[in-house]
Amino acid sequence: QVQLVESGGGLVQPGGSLRLSCAASGFTFTSTAMSWHRQAPGKAREWVAVIARFSGNTEYADSVKGRFTISRDNAKNMVYLQMNNLQPEDTGVYYCNGAGKYWGQGTQVTVSS
């Protein structure tokens, strides 16, 4: 059974940092591209970042480029999202995705003073 379990969300002040984690199981993680997405209140879900299966190449949405870093640990079946210089517009539920079809339950990130 495929499972993606996110953790690490919370409340942070503007300019702060958070590190999200996603634990994957039930599929061949090493051969699966992984990504992070987010959904702000009242808005559609949007793609944030992706990391390739084998090369580890990464891509980012323009809104987070230079502030967020996606990484993966294939030995642990984990994917991470390091988020720095967080801003109120980064508030939302953050979802881990595998292969474009597997979704986690999401973790809430709130950026507020």
Side-chain angles (χ1 to χ4, degrees), residues 4 6 22 27 32-37 45 79 95-104:
L4 293 173
E6 301 96 334
C22 174
F27 60 97
T32 302
M34 299 296 297
S35 57
W36 285 95
H37 304 250
R45 192 174 299 187
V79 63
Y95 297 91
C96 179
N97 177 279
K101 58 183 178 181
Y102 307 131
W103 291 96

Side-chain angles (χ1 to χ4, degrees), residues 60-111:
Y60 299 91
D62 287 344
S63 58
V64 307
K65 202 171 293 184
R67 300 187 298 123
F68 290 12
T69 303
I70 187 172
S71 62
R72 64 191 297 160
D73 185 337
N74 287 338
K76 297 181 179 179
N77 283 13
M78 296 288 294
V79 63
Y80 305 99
L81 187 68
Q82 177 67 43
M83 306 186 294
N84 298 329
N85 191 23
L86 283 159
Q87 300 301 316
E89 53 267 33
D90 295 315
T91 293
V93 179
Y94 282 70
Y95 297 91
C96 179
N97 177 279
K101 58 183 178 181
Y102 307 131
W103 291 96
Q105 83 290 345
T107 185
Q108 177 70 45
V109 172
T110 303
V111 185

